[in-house]
Amino acid sequence: GLGLEVFEIEIGPRVMGRRGFNAHNLALNITAELGLIGLGLALVVGWQLFRSRSPDNPVAEAAFVTMLGGQLIDCFVHDTTFMSLFYFFAASMVWQGRDP
């Protein structure tokens, strides 16, 4: 990998002529920035999130899957609004309605 946001800052301007472009989807972006080890660790985190989801909350799960599905088309991880909603739905997907 190149490092966090190096693809967007260094490679994007060489290819597209200006900054702000990413590697088109989440898997490619993680691989470009963090390498195969980073992609593997992201998959492990995703698997742990999947395993810890609450079966009582299908609405949060549907919203989370919809947002994650959008990452197959384009990568929005640098957008603050998107990531805030993404984390909110991820937290509500795993929250089981009881205090820790």
Side-chain angles (χ1 to χ4, degrees), residues 5-49:
E5 296 185 15
V6 174
F7 185 89
E8 180 181 355
I9 294 170
E10 297 293 328
I11 309 297
R14 281 191 254 158
V15 176
M16 301 302 287
R18 65 182 177 96
R19 291 174 63 177
F21 291 96
N22 55 34
H24 303 297
N25 71 33
L26 187 59
L28 287 176
N29 204 57
I30 289 173
T31 305
E33 292 183 355
L34 302 175
L36 292 175
I37 293 173
L39 180 62
L41 290 173
L43 291 172
V44 167
V45 168
W47 176 251
Q48 292 298 326
L49 184 66

Short mmCIF file of all heavy atoms in Angstrom, two decimals, residues 5-49:
data_model
loop_
_atom_site.label_atom_id
_atom_site.label_comp_id
_atom_site.label_asym_id
_atom_site.label_seq_id
_atom_site.Cartn_x
_atom_site.Cartn_y
_atom_site.Cartn_z
N GLU A 5 -4.61 7.98 2.24
CA GLU A 5 -4.93 9.07 1.33
C GLU A 5 -3.82 9.44 0.35
O GLU A 5 -3.92 10.46 -0.32
CB GLU A 5 -5.38 10.31 2.11
CG GLU A 5 -6.67 10.09 2.87
CD GLU A 5 -7.19 11.33 3.55
OE1 GLU A 5 -6.72 12.44 3.23
OE2 GLU A 5 -8.06 11.20 4.41
N VAL A 6 -2.75 8.64 0.24
CA VAL A 6 -1.69 8.95 -0.70
C VAL A 6 -2.18 8.76 -2.13
O VAL A 6 -1.84 9.53 -3.02
CB VAL A 6 -0.44 8.09 -0.43
CG1 VAL A 6 0.61 8.29 -1.50
CG2 VAL A 6 0.13 8.43 0.93
N PHE A 7 -3.03 7.77 -2.36
CA PHE A 7 -3.58 7.57 -3.71
C PHE A 7 -4.33 8.82 -4.15
O PHE A 7 -4.16 9.32 -5.25
CB PHE A 7 -4.50 6.35 -3.76
CG PHE A 7 -4.98 6.03 -5.14
CD1 PHE A 7 -4.25 5.19 -5.95
CD2 PHE A 7 -6.15 6.58 -5.62
CE1 PHE A 7 -4.68 4.90 -7.23
CE2 PHE A 7 -6.59 6.29 -6.90
CZ PHE A 7 -5.86 5.45 -7.71
N GLU A 8 -5.17 9.34 -3.26
CA GLU A 8 -5.99 10.51 -3.60
C GLU A 8 -5.13 11.77 -3.80
O GLU A 8 -5.41 12.59 -4.67
CB GLU A 8 -6.99 10.75 -2.47
CG GLU A 8 -7.89 11.93 -2.70
CD GLU A 8 -8.87 12.15 -1.55
OE1 GLU A 8 -8.91 11.34 -0.62
OE2 GLU A 8 -9.56 13.16 -1.61
N ILE A 9 -4.08 11.92 -3.02
CA ILE A 9 -3.27 13.13 -3.06
C ILE A 9 -2.18 13.06 -4.13
O ILE A 9 -1.91 14.04 -4.81
CB ILE A 9 -2.66 13.40 -1.67
CG1 ILE A 9 -3.79 13.72 -0.68
CG2 ILE A 9 -1.67 14.54 -1.71
CD1 ILE A 9 -3.35 13.75 0.76
N GLU A 10 -1.54 11.90 -4.30
CA GLU A 10 -0.40 11.79 -5.21
C GLU A 10 -0.73 11.17 -6.57
O GLU A 10 -0.32 11.68 -7.60
CB GLU A 10 0.71 10.96 -4.54
CG GLU A 10 1.26 11.57 -3.29
CD GLU A 10 2.03 12.85 -3.55
OE1 GLU A 10 2.64 12.98 -4.63
OE2 GLU A 10 1.99 13.74 -2.69
N ILE A 11 -1.43 10.05 -6.58
CA ILE A 11 -1.69 9.32 -7.83
C ILE A 11 -2.81 9.97 -8.63
O ILE A 11 -2.74 10.09 -9.84
CB ILE A 11 -2.02 7.84 -7.55
CG1 ILE A 11 -0.97 7.20 -6.64
CG2 ILE A 11 -2.20 7.06 -8.83
CD1 ILE A 11 0.41 7.16 -7.22
N GLY A 12 -3.87 10.40 -7.96
CA GLY A 12 -5.01 11.02 -8.63
C GLY A 12 -4.63 12.20 -9.50
O GLY A 12 -5.05 12.27 -10.67
N PRO A 13 -3.82 13.15 -9.01
CA PRO A 13 -3.44 14.28 -9.86
C PRO A 13 -2.62 13.87 -11.08
O PRO A 13 -2.75 14.47 -12.14
CB PRO A 13 -2.59 15.16 -8.93
CG PRO A 13 -3.06 14.83 -7.56
CD PRO A 13 -3.44 13.37 -7.62
N ARG A 14 -1.81 12.83 -10.98
CA ARG A 14 -1.03 12.37 -12.15
C ARG A 14 -1.94 11.79 -13.22
O ARG A 14 -1.71 11.98 -14.39
CB ARG A 14 0.00 11.33 -11.73
CG ARG A 14 1.22 11.94 -11.11
CD ARG A 14 2.31 10.91 -10.98
NE ARG A 14 2.38 10.55 -9.56
CZ ARG A 14 2.89 9.44 -9.09
NH1 ARG A 14 3.34 8.54 -9.91
NH2 ARG A 14 2.93 9.23 -7.82
N VAL A 15 -2.97 11.07 -12.79
CA VAL A 15 -3.86 10.41 -13.75
C VAL A 15 -4.97 11.34 -14.24
O VAL A 15 -5.24 11.42 -15.44
CB VAL A 15 -4.48 9.14 -13.10
CG1 VAL A 15 -5.49 8.49 -14.02
CG2 VAL A 15 -3.38 8.15 -12.73
N MET A 16 -5.62 12.05 -13.31
CA MET A 16 -6.80 12.84 -13.65
C MET A 16 -6.53 14.34 -13.79
O MET A 16 -7.39 15.07 -14.22
CB MET A 16 -7.89 12.63 -12.59
CG MET A 16 -8.33 11.19 -12.43
SD MET A 16 -8.97 10.48 -13.95
CE MET A 16 -10.53 11.30 -14.07
N GLY A 17 -5.36 14.80 -13.38
CA GLY A 17 -5.04 16.22 -13.50
C GLY A 17 -5.44 17.07 -12.32
O GLY A 17 -5.14 18.26 -12.28
N ARG A 18 -6.13 16.50 -11.32
CA ARG A 18 -6.47 17.25 -10.11
C ARG A 18 -6.64 16.27 -8.94
O ARG A 18 -6.80 15.09 -9.14
CB ARG A 18 -7.72 18.10 -10.29
CG ARG A 18 -8.99 17.35 -10.51
CD ARG A 18 -10.15 18.33 -10.72
NE ARG A 18 -11.37 17.62 -11.02
CZ ARG A 18 -12.28 17.29 -10.13
NH1 ARG A 18 -12.11 17.60 -8.86
NH2 ARG A 18 -13.37 16.64 -10.47
N ARG A 19 -6.61 16.82 -7.73
CA ARG A 19 -6.73 16.00 -6.53
C ARG A 19 -8.18 15.64 -6.26
O ARG A 19 -9.09 16.24 -6.81
CB ARG A 19 -6.19 16.75 -5.33
CG ARG A 19 -4.71 16.94 -5.38
CD ARG A 19 -4.22 17.80 -4.27
NE ARG A 19 -4.48 17.16 -2.98
CZ ARG A 19 -4.10 17.66 -1.83
NH1 ARG A 19 -3.45 18.79 -1.78
NH2 ARG A 19 -4.38 17.04 -0.72
N GLY A 20 -8.39 14.66 -5.37
CA GLY A 20 -9.73 14.34 -4.91
C GLY A 20 -10.30 13.05 -5.46
O GLY A 20 -11.39 12.67 -5.10
N PHE A 21 -9.59 12.37 -6.33
CA PHE A 21 -10.09 11.10 -6.87
C PHE A 21 -9.56 9.94 -6.03
O PHE A 21 -8.45 9.98 -5.53
CB PHE A 21 -9.65 10.92 -8.33
CG PHE A 21 -10.33 11.86 -9.26
CD1 PHE A 21 -9.72 13.04 -9.63
CD2 PHE A 21 -11.59 11.58 -9.74
CE1 PHE A 21 -10.36 13.92 -10.48
CE2 PHE A 21 -12.24 12.46 -10.60
CZ PHE A 21 -11.62 13.64 -10.96
N ASN A 22 -10.38 8.89 -5.90
CA ASN A 22 -9.94 7.71 -5.16
C ASN A 22 -9.92 6.51 -6.10
O ASN A 22 -10.07 6.66 -7.31
CB ASN A 22 -10.83 7.47 -3.93
CG ASN A 22 -12.29 7.38 -4.29
OD1 ASN A 22 -12.65 6.90 -5.35
ND2 ASN A 22 -13.14 7.86 -3.41
N ALA A 23 -9.76 5.34 -5.54
CA ALA A 23 -9.57 4.14 -6.36
C ALA A 23 -10.88 3.46 -6.74
O ALA A 23 -10.91 2.27 -7.01
CB ALA A 23 -8.67 3.15 -5.63
N HIS A 24 -11.97 4.18 -6.79
CA HIS A 24 -13.27 3.76 -7.33
C HIS A 24 -14.13 2.87 -6.46
O HIS A 24 -15.33 2.92 -6.59
CB HIS A 24 -13.14 3.11 -8.71
CG HIS A 24 -12.48 3.98 -9.70
ND1 HIS A 24 -13.01 5.19 -10.10
CD2 HIS A 24 -11.31 3.86 -10.36
CE1 HIS A 24 -12.20 5.75 -10.98
NE2 HIS A 24 -11.17 4.98 -11.15
N ASN A 25 -13.61 2.02 -5.63
CA ASN A 25 -14.45 1.28 -4.70
C ASN A 25 -13.67 0.99 -3.43
O ASN A 25 -12.46 1.18 -3.39
CB ASN A 25 -15.06 0.01 -5.32
CG ASN A 25 -14.09 -1.10 -5.56
OD1 ASN A 25 -13.14 -1.29 -4.82
ND2 ASN A 25 -14.33 -1.86 -6.60
N LEU A 26 -14.36 0.55 -2.41
CA LEU A 26 -13.75 0.43 -1.10
C LEU A 26 -12.61 -0.59 -1.07
O LEU A 26 -11.54 -0.32 -0.52
CB LEU A 26 -14.81 0.07 -0.05
CG LEU A 26 -14.36 0.07 1.39
CD1 LEU A 26 -13.84 1.43 1.79
CD2 LEU A 26 -15.48 -0.35 2.30
N ALA A 27 -12.80 -1.74 -1.69
CA ALA A 27 -11.75 -2.77 -1.66
C ALA A 27 -10.49 -2.28 -2.38
O ALA A 27 -9.37 -2.46 -1.88
CB ALA A 27 -12.26 -4.06 -2.29
N LEU A 28 -10.65 -1.68 -3.54
CA LEU A 28 -9.48 -1.16 -4.26
C LEU A 28 -8.83 -0.02 -3.50
O LEU A 28 -7.60 0.09 -3.46
CB LEU A 28 -9.89 -0.68 -5.65
CG LEU A 28 -10.21 -1.75 -6.67
CD1 LEU A 28 -10.69 -1.10 -7.96
CD2 LEU A 28 -9.00 -2.62 -6.95
N ASN A 29 -9.64 0.83 -2.88
CA ASN A 29 -9.08 1.95 -2.13
C ASN A 29 -8.30 1.48 -0.91
O ASN A 29 -7.21 1.97 -0.64
CB ASN A 29 -10.20 2.90 -1.72
CG ASN A 29 -9.70 4.29 -1.47
OD1 ASN A 29 -9.10 4.89 -2.35
ND2 ASN A 29 -9.94 4.80 -0.28
N ILE A 30 -8.84 0.51 -0.18
CA ILE A 30 -8.12 -0.03 0.98
C ILE A 30 -6.83 -0.70 0.52
O ILE A 30 -5.78 -0.53 1.14
CB ILE A 30 -9.01 -1.02 1.76
CG1 ILE A 30 -10.11 -0.26 2.48
CG2 ILE A 30 -8.18 -1.82 2.76
CD1 ILE A 30 -11.13 -1.17 3.14
N THR A 31 -6.88 -1.45 -0.57
CA THR A 31 -5.68 -2.12 -1.07
C THR A 31 -4.63 -1.12 -1.54
O THR A 31 -3.44 -1.29 -1.26
CB THR A 31 -6.04 -3.08 -2.21
OG1 THR A 31 -7.06 -3.98 -1.75
CG2 THR A 31 -4.85 -3.89 -2.65
N ALA A 32 -5.05 -0.05 -2.22
CA ALA A 32 -4.10 0.96 -2.69
C ALA A 32 -3.47 1.71 -1.52
O ALA A 32 -2.29 2.03 -1.56
CB ALA A 32 -4.79 1.95 -3.62
N GLU A 33 -4.26 1.98 -0.49
CA GLU A 33 -3.74 2.75 0.62
C GLU A 33 -3.02 1.91 1.68
O GLU A 33 -2.03 2.35 2.24
CB GLU A 33 -4.87 3.55 1.27
CG GLU A 33 -5.40 4.64 0.38
CD GLU A 33 -6.46 5.48 1.04
OE1 GLU A 33 -6.87 5.16 2.18
OE2 GLU A 33 -6.90 6.46 0.41
N LEU A 34 -3.53 0.70 1.96
CA LEU A 34 -2.99 -0.09 3.07
C LEU A 34 -2.39 -1.42 2.66
O LEU A 34 -1.88 -2.15 3.50
CB LEU A 34 -4.10 -0.32 4.11
CG LEU A 34 -4.73 0.94 4.69
CD1 LEU A 34 -5.89 0.58 5.59
CD2 LEU A 34 -3.71 1.78 5.41
N GLY A 35 -2.50 -1.78 1.38
CA GLY A 35 -1.94 -3.03 0.90
C GLY A 35 -2.84 -4.22 1.19
O GLY A 35 -3.94 -4.09 1.72
N LEU A 36 -2.36 -5.39 0.82
CA LEU A 36 -3.16 -6.61 1.01
C LEU A 36 -3.37 -6.94 2.49
O LEU A 36 -4.41 -7.48 2.86
CB LEU A 36 -2.50 -7.78 0.29
CG LEU A 36 -2.51 -7.68 -1.25
CD1 LEU A 36 -1.72 -8.82 -1.86
CD2 LEU A 36 -3.93 -7.66 -1.76
N ILE A 37 -2.38 -6.59 3.32
CA ILE A 37 -2.54 -6.83 4.75
C ILE A 37 -3.66 -5.95 5.30
O ILE A 37 -4.50 -6.40 6.08
CB ILE A 37 -1.22 -6.58 5.50
CG1 ILE A 37 -0.19 -7.64 5.08
CG2 ILE A 37 -1.42 -6.58 7.00
CD1 ILE A 37 1.20 -7.41 5.61
N GLY A 38 -3.72 -4.70 4.87
CA GLY A 38 -4.79 -3.80 5.30
C GLY A 38 -6.15 -4.28 4.83
O GLY A 38 -7.14 -4.21 5.55
N LEU A 39 -6.21 -4.81 3.59
CA LEU A 39 -7.47 -5.35 3.08
C LEU A 39 -7.89 -6.56 3.91
O LEU A 39 -9.06 -6.70 4.27
CB LEU A 39 -7.34 -5.73 1.61
CG LEU A 39 -8.60 -6.32 0.96
CD1 LEU A 39 -9.74 -5.30 0.98
CD2 LEU A 39 -8.30 -6.78 -0.45
N GLY A 40 -6.93 -7.43 4.23
CA GLY A 40 -7.23 -8.59 5.06
C GLY A 40 -7.74 -8.20 6.44
O GLY A 40 -8.71 -8.76 6.95
N LEU A 41 -7.12 -7.19 7.05
CA LEU A 41 -7.57 -6.72 8.36
C LEU A 41 -8.96 -6.08 8.28
O LEU A 41 -9.78 -6.25 9.18
CB LEU A 41 -6.57 -5.73 8.95
CG LEU A 41 -5.23 -6.33 9.38
CD1 LEU A 41 -4.25 -5.23 9.78
CD2 LEU A 41 -5.43 -7.31 10.51
N ALA A 42 -9.24 -5.36 7.20
CA ALA A 42 -10.57 -4.77 7.01
C ALA A 42 -11.62 -5.87 6.86
O ALA A 42 -12.73 -5.74 7.38
CB ALA A 42 -10.58 -3.86 5.78
N LEU A 43 -11.28 -6.95 6.18
CA LEU A 43 -12.20 -8.08 6.05
C LEU A 43 -12.45 -8.75 7.40
O LEU A 43 -13.57 -9.16 7.70
CB LEU A 43 -11.68 -9.08 5.02
CG LEU A 43 -11.70 -8.60 3.57
CD1 LEU A 43 -10.98 -9.60 2.67
CD2 LEU A 43 -13.12 -8.36 3.11
N VAL A 44 -11.41 -8.85 8.22
CA VAL A 44 -11.57 -9.42 9.56
C VAL A 44 -12.50 -8.55 10.40
O VAL A 44 -13.40 -9.06 11.09
CB VAL A 44 -10.19 -9.60 10.26
CG1 VAL A 44 -10.35 -9.88 11.74
CG2 VAL A 44 -9.40 -10.69 9.58
N VAL A 45 -12.32 -7.23 10.34
CA VAL A 45 -13.19 -6.32 11.08
C VAL A 45 -14.63 -6.45 10.57
O VAL A 45 -15.58 -6.49 11.36
CB VAL A 45 -12.69 -4.87 10.97
CG1 VAL A 45 -13.73 -3.87 11.48
CG2 VAL A 45 -11.39 -4.70 11.72
N GLY A 46 -14.80 -6.52 9.26
CA GLY A 46 -16.14 -6.70 8.68
C GLY A 46 -16.78 -8.00 9.13
O GLY A 46 -17.98 -8.04 9.43
N TRP A 47 -16.00 -9.07 9.19
CA TRP A 47 -16.53 -10.37 9.63
C TRP A 47 -16.95 -10.31 11.10
O TRP A 47 -17.99 -10.84 11.47
CB TRP A 47 -15.49 -11.46 9.41
CG TRP A 47 -15.93 -12.79 9.92
CD1 TRP A 47 -15.44 -13.45 11.00
CD2 TRP A 47 -16.98 -13.61 9.40
NE1 TRP A 47 -16.11 -14.62 11.20
CE2 TRP A 47 -17.07 -14.76 10.21
CE3 TRP A 47 -17.85 -13.50 8.34
CZ2 TRP A 47 -17.98 -15.76 9.99
CZ3 TRP A 47 -18.77 -14.50 8.12
CH2 TRP A 47 -18.83 -15.62 8.93
N GLN A 48 -16.13 -9.65 11.93
CA GLN A 48 -16.48 -9.51 13.35
C GLN A 48 -17.76 -8.68 13.52
O GLN A 48 -18.60 -9.01 14.36
CB GLN A 48 -15.33 -8.87 14.13
CG GLN A 48 -14.12 -9.75 14.25
CD GLN A 48 -14.41 -11.03 15.00
OE1 GLN A 48 -15.21 -11.07 15.93
NE2 GLN A 48 -13.77 -12.11 14.60
N LEU A 49 -17.91 -7.66 12.71
CA LEU A 49 -19.12 -6.85 12.75
C LEU A 49 -20.33 -7.68 12.33
O LEU A 49 -21.39 -7.62 12.95
CB LEU A 49 -18.98 -5.63 11.85
CG LEU A 49 -20.12 -4.63 11.85
CD1 LEU A 49 -20.23 -3.96 13.21
CD2 LEU A 49 -19.90 -3.59 10.77
#
